[in-house]
Amino acid sequence: MMVSKIWLLIVLSLFQSTTVKPGTELLGFTLNQTPSDVVAQLGPPEGVDDSLPNYVSWLFKGNARDERDYAYIVCFRRSDNRLVSVTRTFEKDEIVDHLFPDGSFTVHNWPSDDNPQFSVRVRTLSDGRLLLAMGSGQAGKPCGQLVLIDREMLPFFFPWITKPEPPKTL
Amino acid sequence: MTKKLTIPTVAVFLVLLTCSSLVAQTAPSMRIVLPERTRLLQGQLVDVVLEIRNASSISSLKVTADGVDITSRFGTPQSAQLDCDATADIVVRANLQSFETVGNVVLRAEGTAGATAISDSRTIEVRPFNMSGRRNVILFIGDAMGTAYRDAARLVSKSIVDASGKNSFREGFFDELLEMDKMPISGHVMTYGSDSVIPDSANTGTAWATGNKSYLNAVNSFGDGTDCRWRFNGATNAANLPYILDNPRVENLWQYMKRRLGYRTGIVTTADVTDATPAVEGAYSGYRQTRFEIARQYIQNPMLGNRPAFDVIMGGGIDQFVPAARPDRRNLIEEFQALGFNYVTSATDLEKATQAIGRSNLLGLFRGNAAPASNSAGLAAADSNMDVAYDKLRLTRPASEPLPDFGGFTDQPMLDRMTARAIDFLSHTAGTLFGAANSPFILMVEGASIDKQSHPNNAAGTIWDTIELDRAVGVARTWAAGRNDTLIVVTADHDQSMSIIGVNNVPDVEYFDRGKRQDFSFTSARGQHGFTIYGDSFANTRASIPFINSSDTTANRNGVAGIPGSFTGATSAADPYSDTYSTYYGFPAYPKDPASGYPLNSAQPGQILRRLAVGFRTGDHTGSSVPVTADGPGAFLFTGYMDQTDIFFKMATSLGGDTTDGDKFVNDVLKRYPSPIGRKDDGK
């Protein structure tokens, strides 16, 4: 039932303006969803990029008015059709502090802590999931993109982010 | 006797099949990262990159071009992570290579990874380039300017009613055609990308700028094995910049001509100057939104030994150049000025700009945002495109279109003046005691918001921008008339979905009334949906609006085919069709502003106004072929159906080749056969 309510949040945020806090719907992705599950809940994607050997991306525009960006990019691993990441790109940068309560995240700087040019907040969720606030290394800093990713995929997509601590019970 | 497969035999077979499959998945392989149909000019620079997969070392590497060993051009093999998987990979690069031998050059790479021999080959077509020419090229890009957009510009700007009521569009003929209509040569261009039927401005620009196709969002770069880091999960940010910029690059015509022949080069656009269409003339990136990097390459171009890519740059986009926004805190405007660029920020200053010794170049940035800042991805500041022609002319927007906000930049030049000044600066170089030297040049001029207004289906915004581009074409044609050394090409990067659907008579009082609207809504399994109809809907049937059937008669099933007419509900007795649009009858009729020369979009006292009615099917690009028109030496090359990459080679042929025979034939034909009505024989 909880998962169904989260899916409703996803649909609402995708297709109309609501009072749902930005990015909340990402928490409803367990990364166990199959492609059929995604279609059943979100409808078919507006675009599919299958040019990579190992991954397939589904692209959802939603209410995005910018003709270049997609509101959601859902990435599957070809070998087992496993959902490995969901990227939520906002039309305008949003405050996402509600998703990163104090003490729940670590901050990672690229290329180094001494010379941070790009920072990410990383929160460990249950079941091996990580939530990343791209370009937003501290509370109050607007974020243009959230990424929900399988912890095992971090070395492949974001190798510069040190593996965070094992998940704690929430 | 038929031998039956026994269970043990089947089991062995299955094991072998599985093993061979596993071996295939993990076996080392080599790939030359160039498209199957790579075409280059003699001497055109390209990065040659070898990707070796499933290998931790490579030995006995040998690379040949038509049998000639070129292995020494390659750097040391570097370990890499390709395809975002767990296997070890290697990349070997030879940056900025070129091939001087004309013809099909077979590039072959081979080596040993572990105990496995690996190889790949690619046949590159190398085309000749004659270095003796001193011709100019002016390429006009109407972004999204497919056939219907040219038609709309003609139907609006050339259906002018004078004080006596005479329409310049009568009985199906125009008194005068558009400037681009008057160009003697026309053809059609296929715009497909390397990965999709529907392209974008970046990969289409790559096609005409380099002669090679690439994927959506690519700026003069090919896809490679590290793209998974950012393309497929959308993580385009500063941390992934190294993987965005490592894509193999191919040199564009602007850098090629400047590097080899000292040509002066320029870009003029109504967009942010780092947007895709101008970017393909001066930068190289796997992703078009790396705006800060694109601006940096304009002043430190990698094909030119870190010298500036251009002598003239004009458009919007101040934010990408200023330290307040840039992560590196550089002030690129001051750096350009230190290199001899005049810097202007208004139409007034543009007219005053002059060349002087040591100051022959021009940087004009006419739009910025109030508080320049980097976005959270760290790759760009917010777009600051110039305001559209309709708003620069201070025309009143129809009810469904957004009102302008100039953000303090109230003195922005029109595209024709930007083009005129660009030609002034490019065609001369101040710096000799004997006056300005004539210089050959290559210039790109873009009408950018034909596309940007089309995405949200703003008909007035897109049509007047097309008219603005046509006037800029007129400036170039006037300058080039009688010179015989300047090729002018007008085309689009891709199409959008606008079509011509009729003529509309809705009165101004409803066309402009923002308070008068009908909201429609319906519910589906995916939630609540809706659209709004304003009084201008019959002149602009947006994609969100179902087909507006003007008849609610029984024959049309009481309007069930679409939204019935009579939206306004106030039919004028004098003009009974004022609340509908007409599909089959009548012509547009617009008054003209004598001061600007542009059509007006509101009724003037004593004058008729009938607006063109257009419709949109989507808010996106389409895969339709687009027209190309050409004038000047080598123009005859632009006939027939062609691929967009052919535009690069045809421009190169005009620049360097001998097109005398073809040019003479075209001129003879033009003199001998009747001109179309509306194409005045004015020497152009």
Side-chain angles (χ1 to χ4, degrees):
Chain A
M1 185 62 69
M2 181 60 182
V3 171
S4 297
K5 287 182 181 173
I6 295 297
W7 278 113
L8 181 61
L9 283 175
I10 295 169
V11 168
L12 288 174
S13 73
L14 193 61
F15 294 107
Q16 63 181 67
S17 61
T18 69
T19 55
V20 175
K21 287 191 175 177
T24 305
E25 70 282 1
L26 280 185
L27 300 178
F29 284 92
T30 63
L31 298 185
N32 287 321
Q33 286 93 355
T34 65
S36 300
D37 291 335
V38 174
V39 171
Q41 298 299 332
L42 298 184
E46 277 121 332
V48 174
D49 194 335
D50 60 357
S51 55
L52 256 195
N54 296 326
Y55 302 94
V56 175
S57 296
W58 286 9
L59 314 168
F60 294 87
K61 256 198 173 297
N63 271 337
R65 284 181 296 280
D66 186 323
E67 66 269 16
R68 292 184 292 264
D69 291 327
Y70 288 93
Y72 290 87
I73 296 179
V74 177
C75 194
F76 296 97
R77 185 167 55 205
R78 278 187 190 271
S79 60
D80 55 2
N81 271 341
R82 180 170 164 77
L83 181 59
V84 296
S85 74
V86 180
T87 301
R88 174 77 173 96
T89 301
F90 299 115
E91 277 279 307
K92 293 179 184 174
D93 291 358
E94 300 274 5
I95 299 294
V96 294
D97 297 346
H98 51 281
L99 296 170
F100 296 87
D102 288 344
S104 73
F105 62 89
T106 52
V107 177
H108 302 265
N109 297 308
W110 179 88
S112 68
D113 290 340
D114 296 332
N115 178 28
Q117 296 176 27
F118 184 77
S119 299
V120 174
R121 279 182 278 180
V122 179
R123 177 183 172 190
T124 301
L125 302 175
S126 59
D127 301 324
R129 298 173 302 157
L130 299 173
L131 184 66
L132 281 53
M134 309 304 289
S136 172
Q138 61 192 48
K141 188 155 195 290
C143 170
Q145 190 177 70
L146 291 167
V147 179
L148 182 79
I149 189 168
D150 186 323
R151 180 189 180 88
E152 291 178 2
M153 303 308 300
L154 205 68
F156 303 132
F157 287 112
F158 302 102
W160 59 274
I161 295 177
T162 310
K163 263 199 185 268
E165 295 298 309
K168 298 176 184 173
T169 303
L170 296 175
Chain B
M1 182 177 78
T2 305
K3 183 175 181 181
K4 289 183 185 175
L5 282 173
T6 62
I7 291 175
T9 307
V10 168
V12 168
F13 176 76
L14 286 174
V15 168
L16 286 174
L17 185 65
T18 305
C19 285
S20 67
S21 162
L22 282 172
V23 167
Q25 287 172 11
T26 57
S29 65
M30 180 184 284
R31 180 171 84 105
I32 299 173
V33 188
L34 287 172
E36 175 190 339
R37 293 182 178 95
T38 301
R39 296 189 295 173
L40 299 169
L41 288 175
Q42 270 181 297
Q44 184 179 1
L45 296 174
V46 65
D47 292 338
V48 183
V49 177
L50 311 177
E51 290 181 342
I52 297 125
R53 286 174 166 78
N54 305 317
S56 54
S57 65
I58 178 84
S59 60
S60 306
L61 178 67
K62 184 177 179 182
V63 186
T64 58
D66 271 357
V68 175
D69 193 332
I70 60 169
T71 313
S72 61
R73 298 192 199 179
F74 287 77
T76 308
Q78 303 288 321
S79 63
Q81 268 200 317
L82 305 176
D83 306 330
C84 297
D85 60 20
T87 62
D89 308 301
I90 297 169
V91 168
V92 193
R93 302 182 70 101
N95 286 345
L96 304 184
Q97 299 302 304
S98 63
F99 302 92
E100 292 293 340
T101 306
V102 171
N104 287 333
V105 175
V106 177
L107 194 64
R108 180 169 173 81
E110 53 194 16
T112 306
T116 307
I118 53 175
S119 67
D120 192 16
S121 66
R122 198 73 79 244
T123 300
I124 300 172
E125 183 186 339
V126 180
R127 295 204 169 179
F129 181 77
N130 182 342
M131 299 262 294
S132 64
R134 279 185 65 83
R135 289 175 176 171
N136 310 310
V137 168
I138 305 176
L139 173 66
F140 286 89
I141 300 295
D143 206 307
M145 192 176 68
T147 300
Y149 291 80
R150 290 192 183 217
D151 291 337
R154 182 187 316 115
L155 285 161
V156 170
S157 68
K158 302 301 180 185
S159 304
I160 300 298
V161 179
D162 65 18
S164 71
K166 182 179 175 186
N167 194 331
S168 61
F169 181 30
R170 302 181 304 283
E171 296 184 336
F173 290 99
F174 292 92
D175 286 342
E176 186 181 8
L177 297 169
L178 293 173
E179 289 290 335
M180 42 189 160
D181 295 337
K182 297 176 191 173
M183 300 169 81
I185 304 296
S186 65
H188 262 79
V189 182
M190 295 175 280
T191 65
Y192 314 121
S194 69
D195 62 343
S196 63
V197 167
I198 313 298
D200 79 329
S201 293
N203 64 347
T204 52
T206 296
W208 78 67
T210 73
N212 287 276
K213 288 185 186 286
S214 193
Y215 58 89
L216 279 168
N217 294 307
V219 177
N220 303 334
S221 300
F222 301 125
D224 71 5
T226 62
D227 288 351
C228 59
R229 297 281 179 97
W230 53 274
R231 261 178 76 187
F232 296 90
N233 65 355
T236 45
N237 53 59
N240 280 328
L241 195 59
Y243 305 109
I244 297 173
L245 298 181
D246 70 349
N247 293 51
R249 305 160 297 182
V250 57
E251 186 180 30
N252 67 49
L253 191 61
W254 277 249
Q255 273 80 84
Y256 181 86
M257 295 304 293
K258 178 176 276 294
R259 180 173 60 84
R260 287 167 68 92
L261 283 169
Y263 262 57
R264 286 172 71 72
T265 58
I267 49 169
V268 171
T269 178
T270 53
D272 182 314
V273 294
T274 59
D275 201 0
T277 302
V280 297
E281 279 79 40
Y284 303 83
S285 172
Y287 182 54
R288 61 183 281 180
Q289 296 305 335
T290 54
R291 303 296 196 88
F292 293 139
E293 173 62 17
I294 288 168
R296 187 195 71 78
Q297 290 190 26
Y298 285 178
I299 197 167
Q300 291 175 302
N301 188 275
M303 302 291 159
L304 300 175
N306 285 328
R307 287 177 290 125
F310 302 115
D311 304 285
V312 169
I313 302 171
M314 278 195 268
I318 292 174
D319 297 26
Q320 319 295 350
F321 291 76
V322 298
R326 293 185 61 87
D328 59 12
R329 301 300 175 209
R330 286 173 71 171
N331 189 328
L332 297 187
I333 294 171
E334 287 183 356
E335 293 186 32
F336 270 109
Q337 289 177 298
L339 289 171
F341 281 72
N342 292 280
Y343 176 53
V344 295
T345 57
S346 69
T348 303
D349 288 346
L350 178 62
E351 296 305 325
K352 295 177 190 170
T354 56
Q355 288 184 318
I357 294 178
R359 195 159 287 280
S360 288
N361 297 340
L362 180 63
L363 173 65
L365 299 175
F366 304 109
R367 194 59 162 96
N369 291 306
S374 173
N375 61 15
S376 58
L379 297 178
D383 262 334
S384 49
N385 303 306
M386 291 178 69
D387 288 273
V388 304
Y390 195 91
D391 296 334
K392 288 188 292 190
L393 293 166
R394 305 309 196 266
L395 299 175
T396 305
R397 286 274 197 163
S400 70
E401 297 189 21
L403 293 172
D405 175 6
F406 295 98
F409 293 85
T410 54
D411 185 23
Q412 297 175 48
M414 301 298 285
L415 190 60
D416 57 348
R417 289 309 304 157
M418 294 164 72
T419 302
R421 297 285 18 234
I423 293 173
D424 285 344
F425 270 78
L426 287 172
S427 60
H428 296 88
T429 309
T432 73
L433 291 173
F434 305 101
N438 286 329
S439 306
F441 65 89
I442 177 168
L443 168 66
M444 191 286 296
V445 178
E446 181 198 17
S449 288
I450 302 169
D451 173 82
K452 295 183 191 302
Q453 289 290 295
S454 205
H455 277 288
N457 295 173
N458 293 334
T462 200
I463 293 171
W464 262 257
D465 247 50
T466 314
I467 297 169
E468 184 188 37
L469 179 81
D470 189 64
R471 287 168 67 101
V473 171
V475 164
R477 294 189 72 234
T478 298
W479 182 83
R483 287 180 65 99
N484 209 32
D485 66 352
T486 301
L487 170 69
I488 300 173
V489 179
V490 184
T491 190
D493 49 357
H494 55 75
D495 202 356
Q496 277 226 25
S497 74
M498 188 176 77
S499 54
I500 310 296
I501 61 173
V503 177
N504 169 250
N505 302 336
V506 71
D508 283 6
V509 67
E510 287 164 7
Y511 183 81
F512 294 110
D513 186 352
R514 291 173 182 268
K516 191 163 189 175
R517 54 188 277 175
Q518 274 190 359
D519 294 309
F520 295 81
S521 66
F522 60 95
T523 306
S524 78
R526 288 167 66 170
Q528 199 80 4
H529 312 276
F531 57 92
T532 299
I533 292 186
Y534 289 91
D536 66 318
S537 294
F538 286 101
N540 179 7
T541 307
R542 295 165 170 277
S544 57
I545 300 174
F547 166 66
I548 296 181
N549 186 341
S550 60
S551 169
D552 56 3
T553 64
T554 308
N556 276 313
R557 297 184 292 157
N558 296 320
V560 73
I563 304 297
S566 301
F567 162 68
T568 63
T571 304
S572 160
D575 191 347
Y577 297 103
S578 63
D579 60 346
T580 68
Y581 73 88
S582 170
T583 305
Y584 294 109
Y585 294 102
F587 290 134
Y590 287 85
K592 182 165 129 177
D593 180 358
S596 69
Y598 280 82
L600 293 167
N601 196 23
S602 55
Q604 303 301 300
Q607 287 192 307
I608 299 168
L609 171 65
R610 288 225 167 89
R611 295 185 179 86
L612 180 71
V614 300
F616 294 86
R617 189 64 192 95
T618 70
D620 272 317
H621 304 169
T622 71
S624 304
S625 301
V626 296
V628 57
T629 44
D631 199 355
F636 65 88
L637 296 164
F638 292 85
T639 48
Y641 259 82
M642 67 196 79
D643 186 82
Q644 199 158 44
T645 54
D646 292 325
I647 292 177
F648 169 86
F649 293 103
K650 291 173 191 284
M651 288 194 293
T653 300
S654 171
L655 281 164
D658 181 4
T659 59
T660 308
D661 289 347
D663 297 334
K664 184 175 182 306
F665 172 75
V666 168
N667 289 334
D668 286 347
V669 166
L670 291 174
K671 285 177 187 160
R672 195 181 311 169
Y673 296 97
S675 295
I677 293 176
R679 184 189 184 281
K680 295 177 186 171
D681 288 325
D682 51 7
K684 289 192 212 173

